[in-house]
Amino acid sequence: MALTLKDELEEFGVQVATINPGAYNTGFNDRAAEEKWKWYDGEKNFTRAEDMKKQEKGLKNQFDPEDMIEKMIEIIPADHHKFRIVHPGKTEKLLKKTEKEGHGNPIYGALLS
């Protein structure tokens, strides 16, 4: 959606950017991790409970939200910026690695085409 908006507004001099934050300690990620257990049924769902618990371990070292706020204050009023901004750098590296690996997956690759 953001890419379409960017393309449509470009001729009017309007810049559109996406800011993709990492896992920040705002409570949002924690609530999402907790809520899934309300609907999860190991007898019906394909995802294994062990795999979901493993993912939750990544929430133990969430980033300080102040860092993201400072980055947004820097980016939003800028005259020029990249379309896709991922912050912090650690998240950007992980995202690039995940996307690169995904292109080798025939299902994921088909969705990107």
Side-chain angles (χ1 to χ4, degrees), residues 70-102:
E70 289 176 16
K71 191 67 172 174
M72 291 169 67
I73 290 170
E74 171 193 327
I75 294 165
I76 293 170
D79 289 335
H80 300 285
H81 43 65
K82 295 178 180 178
F83 169 68
R84 186 173 188 200
I85 299 145
V86 181
H87 187 73
K90 182 177 180 180
T91 300
E92 182 178 8
K93 288 177 186 174
L94 179 62
L95 185 59
K96 285 180 178 180
K97 179 180 181 267
T98 303
E99 286 180 349
K100 186 176 182 179
E101 290 170 356

Side-chain angles (χ1 to χ4, degrees), residues 12-14 18 29 36 58-60 79 91-92 100-101 111:
F12 301 105
V14 177
T18 61
N29 298 313
K36 70 177 173 272
L59 298 178
K60 291 186 180 180
D79 289 335
T91 300
E92 182 178 8
K100 186 176 182 179
E101 290 170 356
L111 294 174

Side-chain angles (χ1 to χ4, degrees), residues 101-113:
E101 290 170 356
H103 286 285
N105 181 322
I107 295 172
Y108 186 71
L111 294 174
L112 293 175
S113 300

Side-chain angles (χ1 to χ4, degrees), residues 9-31:
L9 295 176
E10 196 168 41
E11 69 179 280
F12 301 105
V14 177
Q15 292 185 62
V16 174
T18 61
I19 300 175
N20 304 85
Y24 283 88
N25 192 12
T26 62
F28 177 83
N29 298 313
D30 299 298
R31 280 191 301 281

Side-chain angles (χ1 to χ4, degrees), residues 46-58:
F46 293 109
T47 305
R48 298 179 324 156
E50 300 83 38
D51 294 335
M52 295 190 336
K53 288 177 184 175
K54 185 178 175 184
Q55 279 186 319
E56 287 180 9
K57 289 180 182 178

